Amino acid sequence: QDPGAPLKHKFAVSVRAAYCSACQLVSNVQSLYTVHPDMSSRVWFFWSSIFSACVCLCSLTGDPMMLTALTSVDHPCGNRDS
């Protein structure tokens, strides 16, 4: 099993599900932050969850198809200073 090719692993279905879920979470929190920046900044579990999603996305970047994950992780909610 090549760790550099997670989509060829026997758990590829789970890898793809984790990738899709993490991308969706990053997108949803980004949209929420765009509409309600003050309120969403104060809710800690959004940021805890997005941190976990970013860790998941960064761990999947060994596969060329997964490189798009880096754009989601780069600035999930713009330039957040705090």
Side-chain angles (χ1 to χ4, degrees):
Q1 300 286 342
D2 182 16
L7 292 178
K8 295 179 182 172
H9 194 271
K10 65 180 179 180
F11 298 114
V13 174
S14 296
V15 170
R16 188 175 300 273
Y19 170 77
C20 290
S21 296
C23 285
Q24 189 66 41
L25 181 63
V26 170
S27 175
N28 289 343
V29 172
Q30 185 176 18
S31 297
L32 178 67
Y33 184 78
T34 301
V35 176
H36 301 289
D38 293 333
M39 185 186 335
S40 62
S41 294
R42 293 180 290 199
V43 182
W44 66 269
F45 59 84
F46 290 141
W47 302 107
S48 174
S49 297
I50 202 171
F51 176 76
S52 297
C54 289
V55 169
C56 179
L57 291 173
C58 287
S59 70
L60 298 176
T61 58
D63 191 281
M65 184 179 154
M66 300 294 187
L67 290 177
T68 57
L70 290 177
T71 58
S72 298
V73 174
D74 190 26
H75 292 289
C77 291
N79 294 326
R80 186 164 151 67
D81 294 331
S82 55

